[in-house]
């Protein structure tokens, strides 16, 4: 049945045909045959999103749209975008109907309010046009100064104008998908009965024990108060102790899991590691579920189901944006030599990931595969391969991209390259850790079963120089009703990279923080 947009007393409905003079009976009408899609009381609520309009059939209905000019040609055709979709609405200005002065103001990125009639388009490329009856410039945009001209710009250039890059098709698609992924994260855990726990941003502990933290302090930088030994006296600092931005919410998450059973966190985390790569940010978002009564295998099962769920969600909700990014990537890959191009396009890759089980291997098996590989035999790896090493990105990528060609869950790493809280295996050499490696990304998830045995945990803390005094509250979970438990952390931006195919992590977060860069 044909659906049209109808306006009645300032409300806009989607319904099966508009009734003239339905007047005051809109309530009963709306209950029976139409859905109110906008309850409008002010001018600005009265707009209809272009994404909604493009789903309609043009049937001479009146609408008001608001957005930004992408292009204006022949003094007649405006491509208007409002950020709800990459598709522009073509606004047609009848020749002679509008003032010359007004036409001059239809410059790229000027903001407009346009009211008019939706009509079937005479032109190619779009189903319908908006025949403008009333055009108002809400904000002018000086074409001499506007840096984002309607042409292809490099991603590097767009990073320098990150405050405007949302107005491009690429970033429109990336950030609509990022939103959907975030929404799907909450939906997945909510449906499973997990509690969303907000863990602190400012902490006094170093969860990962890696020491890569940003200090939080209000002490003066010049001549700070000193202790008798000559070190900075943090007892005089704001919190009366040394504090930093959190590197992970896990330790607090474990406190939640040992009361609620299943919790997750989803918040910003900070690492002062000086890694200038396409996979590292100093400020990134992490999702950290933590589950009581879980072992490593349960943990891996959950992580796999979670990743597949959020990808599937985006494939259903953001098909148009994914298609745009698929084409963008194909175009980008044309610049590469044939042997470096992906075998699957973006959507085929995502479909493959949701439809196939992830590979599961132990760290020891991974090292064996690397040692047997043609790449190793031909000395293609830059870094040495031997049991006990922390796998480098080249090794991880060999495993997922060349050997298995799918996501791989690697378990049971040597204890010396992992954190103090991971559960010791019976061999005394490895811990119940798991990393998930994804094609094109490398490590996307890091997690483990946790050491629930108090004596083993304190033993490891002593060996690794982690203070028991400072983490007395963490150790209490092992003192009072300890349980087997496990959890993991998914790097949200790496996930957005995987789903959008964006090569650089700086292009999937609105305002990236990296070494020597914190603009905006
Ligand atoms: O492996 P990581 O360091 O693990 C943890 O922080 C654990 N506490 C998680 C847990 O078990 N609850 O970090 C987890 C993930 C990595 O796999 C990676 O995806 C992402 O966080 N990540 C980063 N993403 C962007 N920039 C960085 N500098 C990142 N460091 C880690
Ligand atoms: Mg890790």
């Amino acid at each position: 049945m044909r659906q049209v947009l109808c306006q009645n007393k300032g409300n806009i409905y989607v319904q099966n045909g508009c009734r003239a003079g339905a007047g005051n009976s809109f309530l009963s009408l709306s209950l029976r045959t139409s859905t109110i899609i906008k309850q409008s009381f002010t001018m600005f609520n009265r707009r209809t999103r272009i994404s909604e309009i493009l789903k309609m059939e043009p049937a001479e209905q009146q609408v008001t749209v608001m957005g930004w000019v992408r292009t204006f040609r022949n003094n007649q055709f405006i491509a208007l975008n409002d950020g709800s979709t990459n598709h522009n609405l073509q606004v047609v200005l009848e020749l002679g109907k509008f003032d010359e002065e007004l036409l001059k103001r239809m410059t790229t990125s000027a903001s407009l309010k346009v009211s008019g009639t939706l009509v079937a388009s005479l032109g190619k490329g779009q189903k319908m046009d908006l025949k403008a009856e009333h055009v108002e410039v809400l904000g002018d945009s000086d074409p001499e100064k506007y840096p984002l001209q309607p042409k292809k710009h490099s991603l590097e250039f767009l990073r320098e104008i990150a405050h405007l890059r949302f107005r491009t098709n690429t970033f429109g698609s990336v950030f609509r998908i990022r939103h959907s992924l975030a929404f799907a994260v909450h939906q997945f855990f909510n449906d499973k009965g997990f509690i969303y726990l907000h863990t602190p941003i400012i902490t006094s502990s170093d969860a990962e024990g890696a020491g890569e933290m940003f200090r939080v302090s209000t002490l003066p930088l010049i001549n700070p108060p000193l202790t008798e030994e000559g070190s900075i006296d943090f007892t005089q600092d704001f919190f009366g102790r040394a504090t930093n931005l959190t590197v992970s919410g896990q330790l607090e998450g474990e406190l939640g899991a040992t009361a609620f059973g299943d919790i997750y966190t989803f918040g910003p985390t900070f690492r002062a590691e000086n890694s200038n790569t396409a996979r590292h940010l100093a400020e990134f978002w992490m999702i950290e579920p933590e589950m009581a009564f879980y072992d490593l295998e349960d943990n891996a099962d959950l992580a796999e189901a979670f990743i597949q769920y959020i990808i599937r969600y985006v494939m259903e909700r953001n098909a148009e944006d994914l298609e745009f990014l698929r084409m963008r990537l194909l175009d980008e890959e044309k610049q590469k030599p044939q042997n470096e191009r992906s075998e699957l396009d973006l959507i085929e890759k995502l479909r493959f990931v949701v439809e196939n089980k992830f590979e599961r291997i132990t760290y020891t098996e991974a090292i064996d595969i690397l040692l047997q590989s043609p790449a190793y035999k031909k000395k293609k790896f830059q870094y040495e391969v031997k049991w006990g090493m922390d796998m480098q990105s080249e090794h991880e990528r060999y495993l997922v991209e060349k050997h298995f060609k799918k996501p791989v869950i690697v378990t049971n790493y040597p204890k010396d390259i992992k954190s103090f809280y991971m559960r010791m295996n019976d061999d005394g050499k490895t811990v119940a850790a798991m990393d998930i490696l994804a094609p094109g990304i490398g490590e996307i998830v890091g997690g483990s079963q946790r050491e629930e045995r108090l004596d083993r945990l304190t033993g490891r803390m002593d060996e690794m120089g982690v203070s028991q005094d400072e983490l007395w509250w963490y150790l209490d979970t092992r003192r009072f009703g300890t349980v087997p438990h496990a959890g993991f952390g998914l790097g949200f931006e790496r996930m957005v990279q995987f789903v959008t195919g964006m090569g650089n992590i700086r292009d999937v977060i609105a305002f990236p923080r990296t070494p020597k860069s914190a603009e905006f």
Side-chain angles (χ1 to χ4, degrees):
M1 197 171 293
R2 199 174 66 171
Q3 296 248 295
V4 295
L5 270 181
C6 301
Q7 221 166 0
N8 187 350
K9 289 187 137 191
N11 294 319
I12 297 171
Y13 313 93
V14 192
Q15 61 187 51
N16 307 325
C18 295
R19 266 208 264 155
N24 296 329
S25 64
F26 82 91
L27 242 186
S28 58
L29 177 81
S30 71
L31 283 176
R32 270 186 287 116
T33 58
S34 67
T35 320
I36 298 184
I37 59 167
K38 274 273 170 297
Q39 277 264 342
S40 54
F41 302 100
T42 69
M43 174 184 86
F44 288 101
N45 279 337
R46 214 174 292 156
R47 78 186 174 100
T48 306
R49 288 212 166 83
I50 291 175
S51 57
E52 289 302 322
I53 289 180
L54 295 179
K55 287 181 205 150
M56 312 276 140
E57 292 298 325
E60 300 281 325
Q61 62 269 46
Q62 289 282 311
V63 291
T64 297
V65 294
M66 297 179 210
W68 294 266
V69 175
R70 283 280 171 92
T71 57
F72 182 45
R73 58 187 177 85
N74 297 352
N75 257 354
Q76 219 185 339
F77 302 107
I78 303 169
L80 194 75
N81 190 279
D82 70 358
S84 60
T85 160
N86 275 346
H87 292 291
N88 303 321
L89 181 65
Q90 172 154 285
V91 176
V92 182
L93 307 184
E94 207 178 306
L95 284 172
K97 180 174 167 129
F98 294 91
D99 197 60
E100 279 293 313
E101 284 310 304
L102 184 77
L103 297 182
K104 279 193 199 140
R105 296 169 69 194
M106 301 295 128
T107 53
T108 300
S109 244
S111 51
L112 303 184
K113 175 183 175 188
V114 184
S115 305
T117 316
L118 285 179
V119 295
S121 180
L122 298 175
K124 278 197 293 241
Q126 67 274 330
K127 186 167 72 175
M128 68 186 105
D129 293 339
L130 177 61
K131 210 169 111 197
E133 272 135 40
H134 179 85
V135 179
E136 186 185 331
V137 178
L138 299 173
D140 288 290
S141 172
D142 183 344
E144 299 296 316
K145 296 195 178 131
Y146 184 61
L148 197 62
Q149 291 307 318
K151 62 166 198 165
K152 216 176 155 102
H153 293 288
S154 73
L155 294 172
E156 289 77 15
F157 170 73
L158 291 173
R159 248 169 254 153
E160 289 168 20
I161 52 163
H163 59 307
L164 296 172
R165 66 180 177 169
F166 299 127
R167 297 185 191 187
T168 64
N169 284 340
T170 297
F171 288 93
S173 290
V174 166
F175 284 94
R176 279 189 295 270
I177 288 175
R178 185 181 164 113
H179 161 80
S180 286
L181 280 170
F183 194 82
V185 166
H186 290 297
Q187 190 142 303
F188 176 83
F189 288 117
N190 185 59
D191 287 354
K192 287 201 173 309
F194 281 55
I195 295 290
Y196 178 26
L197 189 70
H198 294 100
T199 52
I201 307 288
I202 299 174
T203 73
S204 54
S205 69
D206 172 4
E208 289 302 297
E212 292 162 328
M213 298 178 297
F214 289 100
R215 171 80 64 216
V216 175
S217 173
T218 54
L219 290 178
L221 288 174
I222 298 166
N223 294 331
L226 298 178
T227 60
E228 278 174 12
E229 291 82 47
S231 52
I232 295 177
D233 184 6
F234 286 107
T235 61
Q236 297 190 42
D237 204 348
F238 188 91
F239 296 105
R241 64 201 304 167
T243 51
N244 49 268
L245 294 179
T246 187
V247 294
S248 154
Q250 179 198 321
L251 301 192
E252 291 89 351
E254 286 184 54
L255 310 180
T258 51
F260 295 111
D262 302 309
I263 66 95
Y264 71 106
T265 73
F266 186 0
T269 47
F270 307 86
R271 306 245 168 130
E273 51 190 335
N274 203 359
S275 309
N276 240 318
T277 78
R279 312 266 173 267
H280 287 88
L281 290 165
E283 176 181 301
F284 63 99
W285 288 68
M286 185 155 51
I287 296 124
E288 295 186 274
E290 193 68 36
M291 295 73 61
F293 322 113
Y294 258 57
D295 66 12
L296 189 63
E297 201 180 328
D298 299 325
N299 202 25
D301 288 346
L302 183 78
E304 182 172 335
F306 170 52
I307 290 174
Q308 289 179 330
Y309 177 93
I310 61 179
I311 294 176
R312 209 175 283 124
Y313 185 92
V314 167
M315 291 178 79
E316 281 165 19
R317 297 298 169 103
N318 299 80
E320 227 175 65
D321 286 320
L322 279 178
E323 175 58 19
F324 174 84
L325 292 170
R326 181 183 81 88
M327 297 302 291
R328 193 200 78 85
L329 203 59
L330 285 178
D331 208 43
E332 191 180 87
E333 293 219 325
K334 283 192 194 135
Q335 323 295 326
K336 292 186 183 171
Q338 193 79 40
N339 64 341
E340 284 176 29
R341 294 184 200 166
S342 320
E343 287 169 29
L344 302 179
D345 75 20
L346 181 65
I347 294 175
E348 288 166 341
K349 178 188 81 173
L350 297 178
R351 192 170 302 128
F352 183 84
V353 170
V354 298
E355 286 173 359
N356 290 283
K357 293 215 66 69
F358 295 4
E359 197 67 39
R360 295 188 191 194
I361 55 168
T362 63
Y363 169 89
T364 303
E365 285 164 347
I367 297 295
D368 284 344
I369 291 170
L370 293 173
L371 288 173
Q372 300 301 323
S373 69
Y376 177 77
K377 289 180 180 156
K378 289 187 199 148
K379 300 199 180 353
K380 290 263 174 71
F381 292 130
Q382 195 187 335
Y383 293 89
E384 197 189 359
V385 179
K386 65 169 197 227
W387 198 95
M389 67 160 190
D390 208 355
M391 272 191 271
Q392 299 295 320
S393 149
E394 57 176 353
H395 306 130
E396 296 179 338
R397 295 185 73 157
Y398 177 84
L399 289 172
V400 285
E401 284 158 32
K402 296 273 177 337
H403 192 84
F404 290 113
K405 299 184 193 289
K406 53 152 84 166
V408 179
I409 307 182
V410 184
T411 56
N412 301 314
Y413 282 75
K415 68 176 176 16
D416 293 333
I417 57 170
K418 289 291 182 188
S419 300
F420 71 93
Y421 51 69
M422 297 191 179
R423 192 177 197 278
M424 185 65 69
N425 288 327
D426 292 342
D427 61 13
K429 291 192 306 193
T430 59
V431 287
M434 69 168 201
D435 277 5
I436 302 185
L437 314 178
I441 305 289
E443 181 192 333
I444 195 160
V445 161
S448 72
Q449 185 172 340
R450 316 307 187 191
E451 183 55 84
E452 83 283 11
R453 300 161 295 189
L454 180 64
D455 55 336
R456 304 288 184 101
L457 181 59
T458 51
R460 282 299 284 156
M461 289 169 82
D462 292 346
E463 271 172 42
M464 297 177 78
V466 178
S467 164
Q468 290 190 41
D469 286 345
E470 275 175 29
L471 291 184
W472 63 272
W473 45 271
Y474 181 69
L475 292 172
D476 265 4
T477 54
R478 275 60 168 181
R479 291 191 180 105
F480 308 119
T482 192
V483 287
H485 64 290
F488 62 85
L490 172 82
F492 188 56
E493 283 74 20
R494 291 192 188 172
M495 189 68 213
V496 183
Q497 271 193 284
F498 184 72
V499 173
T500 58
M502 298 300 283
N504 195 312
I505 200 163
R506 292 166 179 80
D507 297 330
V508 298
I509 187 164
F511 302 108
R513 269 67 181 115
T514 51
K516 301 276 177 286
S517 165
E519 189 71 56
F520 309 107

